Amino acid sequence: MGTGTPVAGIRARCVRRCAPETKPVTTDLSPIWHPSPNFGARRDGLTPSLVVLHYTAMDSAAAALARLCDPAFEVSAHYLIGADGTLWQMVAEDQRAWHAGAGAWAGAGDVNSRSIGIELDNRGDHPFSNPQMATLEQLLPQILQRWDIAPEGVIGHSDMAPGRKIDPGPRFDWARLAAQGLAASPRKGVNNPPPAADWPTFRALATRAGYTAAADDASLLTAVRLRHRPWAQGPLSPADFAPLCPDHHLS
């Protein structure tokens, strides 16, 4: 989530839009409909193929909700999940919320037009609560089914914007989602190391895994570690390759 500046790629001039008159029926979780004026039509006929997870980096869900619905900041998301598990919806799923900004995933840009954005009420310096994760685990299967999105399409803001964003951060439990088929599991290269544990090979493997946004080596390594080895520090090591390695070597 952006704080204080417009999300990259959004027009500088604030445009007020009329919110839909009725709450869109998108999930049986009965989200609280709290419409944001910060949205538009998805471009080029695109429909969601990704879900992007964020943390709010704010002190409370109320503060985040106000920010996401303030036209002065030109930022929004489709959903916000509070630390207590409360679910708000601000933008209908078929509309383009302004949450992702500049970046790319799997070779495709304009992530806002290709994704559903979910903000999680968390400052980034503490664990995500069980009620919050439970609501996310109820919401995600419905979104994935509605839009025919594979678990591999559930990504973090840091995945699509290395070096620019770090959310949902090192405390987010990706393994918990992966165990339920709600996010991709690490690749199976633990016993099949790459032929060369060097930067060109690491970048090639990361690109194959979806990390196609422009990024320097350090930013790319940080993004991959945030997703797969958030506790890791130091220079590139063979362990950084394991979550990216397919069952066969790069040719």
Side-chain angles (χ1 to χ4, degrees), residues 5-91:
T5 58
V7 172
I10 303 303
R11 291 176 296 178
R13 183 174 64 89
C14 176
V15 180
R16 291 180 179 267
R17 290 176 173 81
C18 294
E21 292 183 357
T22 58
K23 171 183 171 180
V25 178
T26 57
T27 170
D28 61 12
L29 288 174
S30 299
I32 299 168
W33 177 235
H34 194 286
S36 173
N38 303 331
F39 71 95
R42 295 185 183 274
R43 298 170 180 169
D44 301 321
L46 292 169
T47 56
S49 58
L50 299 169
V51 178
V52 181
L53 303 182
H54 308 255
Y55 62 46
T56 59
M58 301 189 75
D59 288 334
S60 67
L65 193 63
R67 176 68 57 88
L68 293 164
C69 296
D70 187 338
F73 288 96
E74 297 189 328
V75 64
S76 64
H78 295 88
Y79 295 99
L80 168 66
I81 304 178
D84 64 356
T86 301
L87 176 65
W88 291 271
Q89 184 173 4
M90 295 157 286
V91 176

Coordinates of all heavy atoms in Angstrom, one line a residue, residues 5-91:
T5 N 2.0 9.2 -1.3 CA 2.2 9.6 -2.7 C 1.3 8.7 -3.5 O 1.0 7.6 -3.2 CB 3.6 9.4 -3.1 OG1 4.0 8.0 -2.9 CG2 4.6 10.3 -2.3
P6 N 0.8 9.2 -4.7 CA 0.0 8.4 -5.5 C 0.7 7.1 -6.0 O 1.9 7.1 -6.2 CB -0.3 9.3 -6.7 CG 0.0 10.7 -6.2 CD 1.1 10.5 -5.2
V7 N 0.0 6.1 -6.2 CA 0.5 4.8 -6.7 C 1.1 5.1 -8.1 O 0.5 5.8 -8.9 CB -0.6 3.7 -6.7 CG1 -0.1 2.5 -7.4 CG2 -1.0 3.4 -5.3
A8 N 2.2 4.5 -8.4 CA 2.8 4.7 -9.7 C 1.9 4.2 -10.8 O 1.2 3.2 -10.6 CB 4.1 3.9 -9.7
G9 N 1.9 4.9 -11.9 CA 1.0 4.5 -13.0 C -0.4 5.1 -13.0 O -1.1 5.0 -13.9
I10 N -0.7 5.8 -11.9 CA -2.0 6.4 -11.8 C -1.9 7.9 -12.2 O -1.0 8.5 -11.9 CB -2.6 6.3 -10.3 CG1 -2.6 4.8 -9.9 CG2 -4.0 6.9 -10.2 CD1 -3.4 3.9 -10.8
R11 N -2.9 8.3 -12.9 CA -2.9 9.7 -13.3 C -2.7 10.7 -12.1 O -3.3 10.5 -11.0 CB -4.2 10.1 -14.0 CG -4.4 9.4 -15.3 CD -5.7 9.6 -15.9 NE -6.8 9.1 -15.1 CZ -8.1 9.2 -15.4 NH1 -8.5 9.9 -16.4 NH2 -9.0 8.7 -14.6
A12 N -2.0 11.7 -12.3 CA -1.6 12.6 -11.2 C -2.9 13.4 -10.8 O -3.0 13.7 -9.6 CB -0.6 13.6 -11.7
R13 N -3.8 13.7 -11.7 CA -5.0 14.4 -11.3 C -6.0 13.5 -10.7 O -6.3 12.5 -11.2 CB -5.6 15.1 -12.5 CG -6.8 16.0 -12.2 CD -7.3 16.7 -13.5 NE -7.8 15.7 -14.5 CZ -9.0 15.3 -14.6 NH1 -9.9 15.7 -13.7 NH2 -9.3 14.5 -15.5
C14 N -6.5 13.9 -9.5 CA -7.5 13.1 -8.8 C -8.8 13.1 -9.6 O -9.3 14.2 -9.9 CB -7.7 13.6 -7.4 SG -8.9 12.7 -6.5
V15 N -9.4 12.0 -9.8 CA -10.6 11.9 -10.5 C -11.6 11.2 -9.6 O -11.4 10.1 -9.1 CB -10.5 11.1 -11.8 CG1 -11.9 11.0 -12.5 CG2 -9.5 11.7 -12.7
R16 N -12.7 11.9 -9.2 CA -13.7 11.3 -8.4 C -14.7 10.5 -9.3 O -15.1 11.0 -10.3 CB -14.5 12.4 -7.7 CG -13.7 13.1 -6.6 CD -14.6 14.2 -5.9 NE -13.8 14.9 -4.9 CZ -13.8 14.5 -3.7 NH1 -14.5 13.5 -3.3 NH2 -13.1 15.2 -2.8
R17 N -15.0 9.3 -8.8 CA -16.0 8.5 -9.5 C -17.1 8.1 -8.6 O -16.9 8.0 -7.4 CB -15.3 7.2 -10.0 CG -14.3 7.4 -11.1 CD -13.6 6.1 -11.4 NE -12.8 6.2 -12.6 CZ -11.6 6.7 -12.6 NH1 -11.0 7.2 -11.4 NH2 -10.8 6.8 -13.7
C18 N -18.3 8.0 -9.1 CA -19.4 7.6 -8.3 C -19.3 6.1 -8.0 O -19.1 5.3 -8.9 CB -20.7 7.8 -9.1 SG -21.1 9.6 -9.4
A19 N -19.5 5.8 -6.8 CA -19.4 4.4 -6.4 C -20.7 3.7 -6.8 O -21.7 4.3 -7.0 CB -19.3 4.3 -4.8
P20 N -20.7 2.4 -7.0 CA -21.9 1.7 -7.3 C -23.0 1.9 -6.3 O -22.7 2.0 -5.1 CB -21.5 0.2 -7.4 CG -20.0 0.3 -7.6 CD -19.5 1.5 -7.0
E21 N -24.2 1.9 -6.7 CA -25.3 2.2 -5.8 C -25.6 1.0 -4.8 O -26.1 1.3 -3.7 CB -26.6 2.5 -6.6 CG -26.5 3.8 -7.4 CD -27.8 4.1 -8.1 OE1 -28.7 3.3 -8.1 OE2 -27.8 5.2 -8.8
T22 N -25.3 -0.2 -5.3 CA -25.5 -1.3 -4.4 C -24.2 -2.1 -4.2 O -23.4 -2.1 -5.1 CB -26.6 -2.3 -5.0 OG1 -26.1 -2.7 -6.3 CG2 -27.9 -1.5 -5.2
K23 N -24.2 -2.8 -3.1 CA -23.0 -3.6 -2.9 C -22.9 -4.8 -3.8 O -23.9 -5.5 -4.0 CB -23.1 -4.1 -1.4 CG -22.1 -5.1 -1.0 CD -22.3 -5.5 0.4 CE -21.4 -6.7 0.8 NZ -21.7 -7.2 2.2
P24 N -21.8 -5.0 -4.5 CA -21.7 -6.1 -5.4 C -21.7 -7.4 -4.7 O -21.0 -7.5 -3.6 CB -20.4 -5.9 -6.2 CG -19.6 -5.0 -5.3 CD -20.6 -4.2 -4.5
V25 N -22.3 -8.4 -5.2 CA -22.3 -9.7 -4.5 C -21.1 -10.5 -5.0 O -21.1 -10.9 -6.2 CB -23.6 -10.5 -4.8 CG1 -23.5 -11.9 -4.2 CG2 -24.8 -9.8 -4.3
T26 N -20.1 -10.6 -4.2 CA -18.8 -11.2 -4.7 C -18.4 -12.4 -3.8 O -17.6 -13.2 -4.2 CB -17.7 -10.2 -4.7 OG1 -17.5 -9.7 -3.4 CG2 -17.9 -9.1 -5.6
T27 N -18.9 -12.5 -2.6 CA -18.5 -13.6 -1.7 C -19.5 -13.8 -0.6 O -20.3 -12.9 -0.3 CB -17.2 -13.2 -1.1 OG1 -16.9 -14.1 0.0 CG2 -17.2 -11.8 -0.4
D28 N -19.6 -15.0 -0.2 CA -20.6 -15.3 0.9 C -20.0 -15.0 2.3 O -20.6 -15.3 3.3 CB -21.1 -16.8 0.8 CG -19.9 -17.8 1.0 OD1 -18.8 -17.4 1.4 OD2 -20.2 -19.0 0.7
L29 N -18.9 -14.4 2.3 CA -18.3 -13.9 3.6 C -19.0 -12.7 4.1 O -18.7 -12.2 5.2 CB -16.8 -13.7 3.4 CG -15.9 -14.9 3.3 CD1 -14.5 -14.4 3.0 CD2 -15.9 -15.8 4.5
S30 N -19.8 -12.1 3.3 CA -20.6 -10.9 3.7 C -19.6 -9.8 4.1 O -19.6 -9.3 5.3 CB -21.6 -11.2 4.9 OG -22.5 -12.1 4.4
P31 N -18.8 -9.3 3.2 CA -17.9 -8.2 3.6 C -18.7 -7.0 3.8 O -19.8 -6.8 3.3 CB -17.0 -8.1 2.3 CG -17.8 -8.7 1.2 CD -18.6 -9.8 1.8
I32 N -18.1 -6.1 4.6 CA -18.7 -4.8 4.8 C -18.4 -3.9 3.5 O -17.2 -3.7 3.2 CB -18.1 -4.1 6.0 CG1 -18.4 -5.0 7.3 CG2 -18.6 -2.7 6.2 CD1 -17.6 -4.5 8.5
W33 N -19.4 -3.5 2.9 CA -19.2 -2.7 1.6 C -18.9 -1.3 2.0 O -19.7 -0.6 2.6 CB -20.5 -2.8 0.8 CG -20.4 -2.0 -0.5 CD1 -21.4 -1.1 -0.9 CD2 -19.5 -2.1 -1.5 NE1 -21.0 -0.6 -2.1 CE2 -19.9 -1.1 -2.5 CE3 -18.3 -2.8 -1.7 CZ2 -19.1 -0.9 -3.7 CZ3 -17.6 -2.6 -2.9 CH2 -18.0 -1.7 -3.9
H34 N -17.7 -0.8 1.7 CA -17.2 0.5 2.0 C -16.6 1.1 0.8 O -15.4 1.0 0.6 CB -16.2 0.4 3.2 CG -15.9 1.8 3.8 ND1 -15.2 2.7 3.2 CD2 -16.3 2.3 5.0 CE1 -15.1 3.8 4.1 NE2 -15.8 3.5 5.1
P35 N -17.4 1.6 -0.2 CA -16.9 1.9 -1.5 C -15.8 3.0 -1.5 O -15.9 4.0 -0.8 CB -18.1 2.4 -2.3 CG -19.1 2.8 -1.2 CD -18.8 1.9 0.0
S36 N -14.8 2.7 -2.3 CA -13.7 3.7 -2.6 C -14.0 4.4 -4.0 O -14.4 3.7 -4.9 CB -12.4 3.0 -2.6 OG -11.4 3.9 -3.0
P37 N -13.7 5.7 -4.1 CA -13.8 6.3 -5.4 C -12.6 6.0 -6.3 O -12.6 6.4 -7.5 CB -13.9 7.8 -5.1 CG -13.1 7.9 -3.8 CD -13.4 6.6 -3.1
N38 N -11.6 5.3 -5.7 CA -10.3 5.2 -6.5 C -10.3 3.8 -7.2 O -9.8 2.8 -6.8 CB -9.2 5.2 -5.4 CG -9.2 6.5 -4.6 OD1 -9.6 7.5 -5.1 ND2 -8.7 6.4 -3.4
F39 N -10.9 3.9 -8.4 CA -10.9 2.7 -9.2 C -11.3 3.1 -10.7 O -11.6 4.2 -10.9 CB -12.0 1.6 -8.7 CG -13.4 2.1 -9.0 CD1 -14.1 1.7 -10.1 CD2 -14.0 2.9 -8.0 CE1 -15.4 2.0 -10.3 CE2 -15.4 3.3 -8.2 CZ -16.1 2.9 -9.4
G40 N -11.1 2.2 -11.6 CA -11.5 2.4 -13.0 C -11.8 1.1 -13.6 O -11.7 0.0 -13.0
A41 N -12.0 1.1 -14.9 CA -12.3 -0.1 -15.7 C -10.9 -0.8 -16.0 O -9.9 -0.2 -16.2 CB -12.9 0.2 -17.0
R42 N -11.0 -2.1 -16.0 CA -9.8 -2.9 -16.3 C -9.5 -2.6 -17.8 O -10.4 -2.5 -18.6 CB -10.0 -4.4 -16.1 CG -10.2 -4.7 -14.6 CD -10.3 -6.2 -14.4 NE -10.5 -6.5 -12.9 CZ -9.5 -6.6 -12.0 NH1 -8.3 -6.4 -12.4 NH2 -9.8 -6.8 -10.8
R43 N -8.2 -2.5 -18.1 CA -7.8 -2.1 -19.5 C -7.7 -3.3 -20.4 O -7.4 -4.4 -20.0 CB -6.5 -1.4 -19.4 CG -6.6 -0.1 -18.6 CD -5.2 0.5 -18.3 NE -5.3 1.7 -17.6 CZ -4.3 2.4 -17.0 NH1 -3.1 1.9 -17.1 NH2 -4.5 3.5 -16.3
D44 N -7.9 -3.1 -21.7 CA -7.7 -4.0 -22.8 C -8.4 -5.3 -22.6 O -8.0 -6.4 -23.0 CB -6.2 -4.3 -22.9 CG -5.3 -3.1 -23.2 OD1 -5.8 -2.3 -24.0 OD2 -4.2 -3.0 -22.6
G45 N -9.6 -5.2 -21.9 CA -10.4 -6.4 -21.8 C -9.8 -7.5 -20.8 O -10.3 -8.6 -20.8
L46 N -8.9 -7.1 -20.0 CA -8.2 -8.0 -19.1 C -9.2 -8.4 -17.9 O -10.0 -7.6 -17.5 CB -6.9 -7.4 -18.5 CG -5.8 -7.2 -19.5 CD1 -4.7 -6.4 -18.9 CD2 -5.3 -8.6 -20.0
T47 N -9.0 -9.6 -17.4 CA -9.7 -10.0 -16.2 C -8.7 -10.5 -15.2 O -7.5 -10.8 -15.6 CB -10.7 -11.2 -16.6 OG1 -10.0 -12.3 -17.2 CG2 -11.8 -10.7 -17.5
P48 N -9.0 -10.7 -14.0 CA -8.0 -11.1 -13.0 C -7.4 -12.4 -13.2 O -8.1 -13.4 -13.4 CB -8.8 -11.1 -11.7 CG -9.9 -10.1 -11.9 CD -10.3 -10.3 -13.3
S49 N -6.1 -12.5 -13.2 CA -5.3 -13.7 -13.3 C -4.3 -13.8 -12.1 O -3.6 -14.8 -12.0 CB -4.5 -13.8 -14.6 OG -3.7 -12.7 -14.7
L50 N -4.3 -12.8 -11.2 CA -3.4 -12.7 -10.1 C -4.2 -12.2 -8.9 O -5.2 -11.5 -9.0 CB -2.3 -11.8 -10.3 CG -1.3 -12.0 -11.5 CD1 -0.4 -10.8 -11.7 CD2 -0.5 -13.3 -11.2
V51 N -3.7 -12.6 -7.7 CA -4.2 -12.0 -6.4 C -2.9 -11.4 -5.8 O -1.9 -12.2 -5.6 CB -4.9 -13.0 -5.5 CG1 -5.2 -12.3 -4.2 CG2 -6.1 -13.6 -6.1
V52 N -2.9 -10.1 -5.5 CA -1.7 -9.5 -4.9 C -2.0 -9.2 -3.4 O -3.0 -8.5 -3.1 CB -1.3 -8.2 -5.6 CG1 -0.1 -7.6 -5.0 CG2 -1.1 -8.5 -7.1
L53 N -1.1 -9.7 -2.5 CA -1.3 -9.5 -1.1 C -0.4 -8.4 -0.7 O 0.8 -8.3 -1.1 CB -1.0 -10.8 -0.3 CG -1.8 -12.0 -0.7 CD1 -1.4 -13.2 0.2 CD2 -3.3 -11.8 -0.6
H54 N -0.9 -7.5 0.2 CA -0.2 -6.4 0.7 C -0.4 -6.3 2.2 O -1.3 -6.9 2.8 CB -0.8 -5.1 0.2 CG -1.0 -5.0 -1.2 ND1 -0.2 -4.2 -2.0 CD2 -2.0 -5.5 -2.1 CE1 -0.6 -4.2 -3.3 NE2 -1.7 -5.0 -3.3
Y55 N 0.5 -5.6 2.9 CA 0.2 -5.1 4.3 C 0.0 -3.6 4.2 O 0.5 -2.9 3.3 CB 1.2 -5.5 5.3 CG 2.6 -5.0 5.2 CD1 3.0 -3.7 4.9 CD2 3.7 -5.9 5.4 CE1 4.3 -3.3 4.8 CE2 5.0 -5.5 5.4 CZ 5.3 -4.2 5.1 OH 6.6 -3.7 5.0
T56 N -0.8 -3.1 5.1 CA -1.2 -1.7 5.1 C -0.1 -0.8 5.6 O 0.0 0.4 5.1 CB -2.4 -1.4 5.9 OG1 -2.1 -1.8 7.3 CG2 -3.6 -2.2 5.4
A57 N 0.8 -1.2 6.4 CA 1.9 -0.4 7.0 C 1.3 0.8 7.8 O 1.9 1.9 7.8 CB 2.9 0.0 6.0
M58 N 0.1 0.6 8.3 CA -0.6 1.7 9.1 C -0.9 1.2 10.5 O -0.9 0.0 10.7 CB -1.8 2.2 8.3 CG -1.4 2.8 7.0 SD -2.8 3.6 6.1 CE -2.8 5.2 7.0
D59 N -1.3 2.1 11.4 CA -1.5 1.7 12.8 C -2.8 1.0 13.1 O -2.9 0.4 14.1 CB -1.4 3.0 13.7 CG 0.0 3.5 13.8 OD1 1.0 2.7 13.6 OD2 0.2 4.7 14.0
S60 N -3.8 1.1 12.1 CA -5.1 0.5 12.4 C -5.8 0.3 11.1 O -5.5 0.9 10.1 CB -5.9 1.4 13.3 OG -6.3 2.6 12.6
A61 N -6.7 -0.6 11.1 CA -7.6 -0.9 10.0 C -8.4 0.4 9.6 O -8.6 0.6 8.4 CB -8.5 -2.1 10.2
A62 N -8.8 1.1 10.6 CA -9.6 2.3 10.4 C -8.8 3.3 9.6 O -9.3 4.0 8.6 CB -10.1 2.9 11.7
A63 N -7.5 3.5 10.0 CA -6.7 4.4 9.3 C -6.4 4.0 7.8 O -6.5 4.8 6.9 CB -5.4 4.6 10.0
A64 N -6.2 2.7 7.6 CA -6.0 2.1 6.3 C -7.3 2.3 5.4 O -7.2 2.7 4.3 CB -5.6 0.7 6.4
L65 N -8.4 2.0 6.0 CA -9.7 2.2 5.3 C -9.9 3.6 4.8 O -10.3 3.8 3.7 CB -10.9 1.7 6.2 CG -12.2 1.5 5.5 CD1 -12.1 0.4 4.5 CD2 -13.3 1.1 6.5
A66 N -9.6 4.5 5.7 CA -9.7 5.9 5.3 C -8.8 6.3 4.2 O -9.2 7.0 3.2 CB -9.5 6.8 6.5
R67 N -7.6 5.8 4.3 CA -6.6 6.1 3.2 C -7.0 5.5 1.9 O -6.9 6.1 0.8 CB -5.2 5.6 3.6 CG -4.1 5.7 2.6 CD -3.7 7.2 2.4 NE -3.3 7.9 3.6 CZ -2.1 7.9 4.1 NH1 -1.1 7.2 3.4 NH2 -1.8 8.5 5.2
L68 N -7.5 4.3 1.9 CA -7.8 3.6 0.7 C -9.1 4.1 0.0 O -9.3 3.8 -1.1 CB -8.0 2.1 1.0 CG -6.8 1.3 1.4 CD1 -7.2 0.0 2.1 CD2 -5.9 1.0 0.2
C69 N -9.8 4.9 0.8 CA -11.0 5.5 0.2 C -10.9 7.0 0.0 O -11.9 7.7 -0.2 CB -12.2 5.2 1.1 SG -12.6 3.4 1.2
D70 N -9.7 7.6 0.2 CA -9.5 9.0 0.1 C -9.1 9.3 -1.3 O -8.0 8.9 -1.8 CB -8.5 9.4 1.1 CG -8.3 10.9 1.2 OD1 -8.7 11.6 0.2 OD2 -7.8 11.4 2.2
P71 N -9.8 10.1 -2.1 CA -9.4 10.4 -3.5 C -8.1 11.1 -3.6 O -7.5 11.1 -4.6 CB -10.6 11.2 -4.0 CG -11.3 11.7 -2.8 CD -11.1 10.7 -1.8
A72 N -7.7 11.8 -2.5 CA -6.5 12.6 -2.6 C -5.3 11.7 -2.7 O -4.2 12.1 -3.2 CB -6.4 13.5 -1.3
F73 N -5.4 10.4 -2.3 CA -4.2 9.6 -2.3 C -4.2 8.6 -3.5 O -3.2 8.0 -3.8 CB -4.1 8.8 -1.0 CG -3.7 9.6 0.2 CD1 -4.7 10.1 1.0 CD2 -2.4 9.9 0.4 CE1 -4.4 10.9 2.1 CE2 -2.1 10.7 1.5 CZ -3.0 11.2 2.4
E74 N -5.3 8.5 -4.2 CA -5.4 7.7 -5.4 C -4.8 6.3 -5.2 O -4.0 5.8 -6.0 CB -4.6 8.4 -6.6 CG -5.3 9.7 -7.0 CD -4.7 10.3 -8.2 OE1 -3.5 10.1 -8.5 OE2 -5.4 11.0 -8.9
V75 N -5.2 5.7 -4.1 CA -4.8 4.3 -3.9 C -6.1 3.6 -3.3 O -6.9 4.2 -2.7 CB -3.7 4.2 -2.8 CG1 -4.1 4.8 -1.5 CG2 -3.1 2.8 -2.7
S76 N -6.2 2.3 -3.6 CA -7.3 1.5 -3.2 C -6.9 0.0 -3.2 O -5.8 -0.4 -3.6 CB -8.6 1.7 -4.0 OG -8.3 1.3 -5.4
A77 N -7.8 -0.8 -2.9 CA -7.7 -2.3 -3.0 C -9.1 -2.8 -3.1 O -10.1 -2.1 -2.8 CB -6.9 -2.9 -1.9
H78 N -9.2 -4.1 -3.5 CA -10.6 -4.7 -3.6 C -11.0 -5.0 -2.2 O -12.2 -4.8 -1.8 CB -10.6 -5.9 -4.5 CG -10.3 -5.6 -5.9 ND1 -9.0 -5.5 -6.4 CD2 -11.1 -5.3 -6.9 CE1 -9.1 -5.2 -7.7 NE2 -10.3 -5.1 -8.0
Y79 N -10.1 -5.5 -1.3 CA -10.5 -5.9 0.0 C -9.5 -5.5 1.0 O -8.3 -5.3 0.7 CB -10.5 -7.5 0.1 CG -11.6 -8.1 -0.8 CD1 -11.3 -8.6 -2.0 CD2 -12.9 -8.2 -0.3 CE1 -12.3 -9.2 -2.8 CE2 -13.9 -8.8 -1.1 CZ -13.6 -9.3 -2.3 OH -14.6 -9.9 -3.1
L80 N -9.9 -5.3 2.3 CA -9.1 -5.0 3.4 C -9.5 -6.0 4.5 O -10.7 -6.1 4.8 CB -9.3 -3.6 3.9 CG -8.7 -3.3 5.3 CD1 -7.2 -3.4 5.3 CD2 -9.1 -1.9 5.7
I81 N -8.6 -6.7 5.1 CA -8.9 -7.6 6.2 C -8.2 -7.1 7.5 O -7.0 -6.9 7.5 CB -8.4 -9.1 5.9 CG1 -8.9 -9.6 4.6 CG2 -8.7 -10.0 7.1 CD1 -8.4 -11.0 4.2
G82 N -9.1 -6.8 8.5 CA -8.6 -6.3 9.7 C -7.9 -7.4 10.6 O -8.0 -8.6 10.3
A83 N -7.1 -7.0 11.6 CA -6.4 -7.9 12.4 C -7.4 -8.8 13.2 O -7.0 -10.0 13.5 CB -5.5 -7.2 13.4
D84 N -8.6 -8.3 13.4 CA -9.6 -9.2 14.1 C -10.4 -10.0 13.1 O -11.4 -10.7 13.5 CB -10.6 -8.3 14.9 CG -11.4 -7.3 14.0 OD1 -11.2 -7.3 12.8 OD2 -12.2 -6.6 14.6
G85 N -10.1 -10.0 11.8 CA -10.7 -10.9 10.8 C -11.9 -10.2 10.1 O -12.5 -10.7 9.2
T86 N -12.2 -8.9 10.5 CA -13.2 -8.2 9.7 C -12.8 -8.0 8.3 O -11.7 -7.7 8.0 CB -13.5 -6.8 10.4 OG1 -13.9 -7.0 11.7 CG2 -14.5 -6.0 9.6
L87 N -13.8 -8.2 7.4 CA -13.5 -8.1 6.0 C -14.3 -6.9 5.4 O -15.5 -6.8 5.5 CB -13.9 -9.4 5.3 CG -13.8 -9.4 3.7 CD1 -12.4 -9.2 3.3 CD2 -14.4 -10.7 3.2
W88 N -13.6 -6.0 4.7 CA -14.2 -4.9 4.0 C -14.0 -5.1 2.5 O -12.9 -5.5 2.1 CB -13.6 -3.5 4.4 CG -14.0 -3.1 5.8 CD1 -15.0 -2.3 6.2 CD2 -13.2 -3.3 7.0 NE1 -15.0 -2.0 7.5 CE2 -13.9 -2.6 8.0 CE3 -12.0 -3.9 7.2 CZ2 -13.3 -2.6 9.3 CZ3 -11.5 -3.9 8.5 CH2 -12.2 -3.3 9.6
Q89 N -14.9 -4.7 1.7 CA -14.7 -4.6 0.3 C -14.9 -3.2 -0.2 O -15.9 -2.5 0.2 CB -15.7 -5.5 -0.5 CG -15.4 -5.5 -2.0 CD -16.3 -6.5 -2.8 OE1 -17.1 -7.2 -2.2 NE2 -16.0 -6.6 -4.1
M90 N -14.0 -2.7 -1.0 CA -14.0 -1.3 -1.4 C -14.2 -1.1 -2.9 O -14.7 -0.1 -3.3 CB -12.7 -0.6 -1.0 CG -12.5 -0.5 0.5 SD -10.8 -0.4 1.0 CE -10.2 -2.0 0.7
V91 N -13.8 -2.1 -3.7 CA -14.0 -2.0 -5.1 C -14.5 -3.4 -5.6 O -14.1 -4.4 -5.1 CB -12.6 -1.8 -5.8 CG1 -12.7 -1.8 -7.3 CG2 -12.0 -0.4 -5.3

